[in-house]
Amino acid sequence: MARIVMKFGGTSMAGTERIRRVAKIVKQQADAGHEVAVVVSAMAGETDRLINFCREASSLYDPAEYDVVVASGEQVTSGLLAISLQSMGADARSWLGWQMPINTIEAHARARIQDIDAMPMVQAMQQGQIAVIPGFQGVSMEGRVATLGRGGSDTSAVAVAAAIKADRCDIYTDVDGVYTTDPRIVAKARKLKNITYEEMLELASVGAKVLQTRSVGLAMKTGVRIQVLSSFIEDGAPPADTLPGTMIVSDEELEGMDMERQLITGIAHDKNEAKITLTRVPDKPGAVANIFSPLADAGINVDMIIQNVGREKGETDVTFTVPKADLPRSMDLLDQAQESIGYNRVIPDTNVAKISVVGVGMKSHAGVASTMFSSLADRGVNIIAITTSEIKVSVLIEEDYTELAVRVLHTAYGLDDTVC
Ligand code: ADP
Ligand code: ASP
Ligand code: MG
């Protein structure tokens, strides 16, 4: 008998019919004698709909009240799943974020989980009751509802798994595992049997939204075993956890498992960045700090940065990227700081995408970046900016070339599934 956390995403929870299918998958595990906690997302599209209501109510909405509104999507699906399980004869109840409680800290709309008091829930699970937990929500230090940021139900699931010392955390979604790239973009994408925490963390952080980045970081820190699998299985199929998904494993585990790993494990793209160029910035000490300090103070994450070769008159152009959602605020802040920075013009550009290749094999092999640059050049794709880490190379390109670039690189690194 095991203690397991099962998490179901928005597409799996989209409507009562799908929730009934989820209930069947959950009940199968409970009937097998396991202690089961289920974490659920809101129905697909619901969180977007709720966010739009907030925007319509006021463009300057209070984040604490935004949390009250958007957390409701998961409250609905957790109640509906508990009802569906009960109607199948299972013992089940919902545990809202404030009831458990899942205590959070920091800002509304991007709260972080501090701790979870899961004792009463575990006792109920030991009595055979299935616990249903709305993902994405917790309670703030002031006793108010708080949400964890988009895609946060993955993080709720991992945090619950760590708190109740679950044997594993199964993330059920609308694809049957982690692929070499988004299978909705590249038909020849290949499913990975295993991927390391480190690689998954990098892939998620550069746009592979199959898992929220924070959930992978938390799993790595707490040693939670994650498996990604599909909730879209046929009636009468064996239990989903016996179907092959993707296991997230440590470096050491992987070494023993997979001798023939490719140099590159996966490719991701991100269309959520915008580029800003400041022209004729004084080329002197302190100039760059003057640009980035106000952005950092406002909590805006700057990602890629290039400072061009200085012009003749001690001036230079500086280009960098920020999240698209932060572009208007960044422009305001740069406008206010024009005098202290001393730039001439600020040029925003939202027509960009970041393409990244990730793989632990890069640590010991040279030439990964040059393959990327030459493959893109051969197809006429211009590179605007580059960043690298120990296991990742990212380039910024024009957004219109995103799909082409991902496909070309997928082939260039030998990742195509030849059976397709
Ligand atoms: P959920 O609602 O279950 O949380 P998400 O939409 O957040 O699901 O994540 C699943 C989606 O992630 C898939 O439908 C797929 O399009 C996308 N995705 C992006 N990169 C990958 C990848 N490398 N492997 C698998 N899926 C990926
Ligand atoms: N419903 C939330 C969102 O769409 C959280 C989640 O599904 O993970 O971002
Ligand atoms: Mg998700």
Side-chain angles (χ1 to χ4, degrees):
M1 192 192 73
R3 180 176 290 175
I4 54 180
V5 171
M6 306 169 81
K7 181 260 169 178
F8 292 88
T11 328
S12 313
M13 299 299 291
T16 43
E17 199 47 51
R18 291 209 180 143
I19 292 177
R20 244 193 302 277
R21 293 183 79 86
V22 166
K24 273 193 197 163
I25 299 174
V26 171
K27 187 163 179 295
Q28 211 170 21
Q29 296 293 320
D31 288 347
H34 301 310
E35 288 174 15
V36 183
V38 194
V39 175
V40 295
S41 286
M43 294 190 197
E46 181 63 6
T47 309
D48 289 339
R49 197 175 74 95
L50 295 169
I51 292 172
N52 273 333
F53 282 140
C54 294
R55 289 195 180 128
E56 277 168 29
S58 164
S59 57
L60 294 171
Y61 51 75
D62 172 8
E65 299 304 344
Y66 160 99
D67 276 351
V68 172
V69 176
V70 300
S72 66
E74 273 75 7
Q75 176 159 337
V76 170
T77 47
S78 55
L80 289 174
L81 180 59
I83 293 173
S84 300
L85 284 163
Q86 288 164 0
S87 74
M88 293 172 185
D91 183 13
R93 72 153 274 195
S94 60
W95 295 83
L96 301 185
W98 59 269
Q99 289 171 327
M100 203 150 28
I102 295 178
N103 295 307
T104 64
I105 48 168
E106 294 179 23
H108 279 285
R110 47 194 167 93
R112 305 182 74 82
I113 297 176
Q114 165 99 317
D115 58 64
I116 299 181
D117 177 6
M119 213 41 205
M121 188 185 84
V122 168
Q123 280 164 356
M125 287 167 66
Q126 285 168 334
Q127 307 292 316
Q129 189 176 64
I130 299 169
V132 185
I133 302 150
F136 184 51
Q137 63 169 254
V139 57
S140 74
M141 292 207 289
E142 294 75 38
R144 305 192 66 180
V145 174
T147 65
L148 306 181
R150 297 308 305 268
S153 297
D154 294 331
T155 301
S156 306
V158 173
V160 168
I164 67 171
K165 300 195 171 40
D167 296 291
R168 38 171 234 273
C169 179
D170 292 341
I171 306 275
Y172 289 84
T173 183
D174 55 3
V175 285
D176 59 354
V178 178
Y179 279 70
T180 45
T181 193
D182 190 338
R184 298 190 196 284
I185 291 209
V186 179
K188 290 178 182 166
R190 215 158 12 95
K191 192 169 79 181
L192 298 162
K193 274 198 206 118
N194 310 289
I195 182 168
T196 66
Y197 288 102
E198 200 184 2
E199 289 171 321
M200 193 61 240
L201 192 65
E202 286 276 19
L203 271 179
S205 73
V206 292
K209 70 163 187 166
V210 61
L211 287 175
Q212 197 203 30
T213 312
R214 272 166 59 192
S215 70
V216 188
L218 187 62
M220 194 168 169
K221 204 168 86 187
T222 53
V224 167
R225 292 186 72 75
I226 298 186
Q227 184 174 197
V228 178
L229 36 135
S230 172
S231 70
F232 290 77
I233 42 179
E234 304 294 315
D235 269 344
D241 66 322
T242 61
L243 300 173
T246 301
M247 282 297 301
I248 320 281
V249 298
S250 65
D251 265 2
E252 299 75 50
E253 277 177 283
L254 187 78
E255 267 167 35
M257 285 170 170
D258 210 343
M259 307 294 285
E260 307 221 356
R261 270 179 83 73
Q262 305 277 359
L263 186 56
I264 293 302
T265 305
I267 302 175
H269 68 277
D270 186 355
K271 294 182 177 176
N272 291 314
E273 300 223 355
K275 174 176 76 118
I276 298 177
T277 299
L278 297 182
T279 65
R280 303 185 61 181
V281 175
D283 195 5
K284 61 173 195 209
V288 173
N290 287 342
I291 299 172
F292 296 118
S293 298
L295 298 175
D297 292 345
I300 296 172
N301 252 337
V302 173
D303 182 20
M304 306 175 113
I305 303 175
I306 0 169
Q307 179 168 342
N308 301 326
V309 178
R311 296 170 188 237
E312 279 164 23
K313 284 188 246 151
E315 292 170 336
T316 181
D317 292 349
V318 178
T319 299
F320 54 94
T321 60
V322 295
K324 253 181 202 161
D326 289 330
L327 183 62
R329 269 195 318 140
S330 305
M331 295 295 287
D332 281 351
L333 289 165
L334 292 167
D335 203 34
Q336 285 162 26
Q338 176 159 24
E339 226 166 275
S340 64
I341 302 170
Y343 66 84
N344 178 248
R345 276 200 321 139
V346 49
I347 308 165
D349 182 2
T350 51
N351 182 29
V352 291
K354 186 169 73 173
I355 313 292
S356 307
V357 298
V358 172
V360 280
M362 241 183 250
K363 285 184 188 174
S364 48
H365 283 82
V368 170
S370 68
T371 301
M372 186 172 195
F373 306 152
S374 55
S375 310
L376 293 176
D378 287 348
R379 300 303 288 264
V381 180
N382 187 34
I383 296 172
I384 304 165
I386 304 164
T387 52
T388 62
S389 79
E390 206 181 12
I391 65 161
K392 177 193 75 188
V393 183
S394 303
V395 294
L396 193 71
I397 62 168
E398 237 178 80
E399 185 176 337
D400 302 344
Y401 291 104
T402 307
E403 282 75 17
L404 172 70
V406 173
R407 283 198 199 103
V408 163
L409 294 174
H410 201 264
T411 306
Y413 289 110
L415 297 176
D416 288 351
D417 190 344
T418 44
V419 185
C420 288

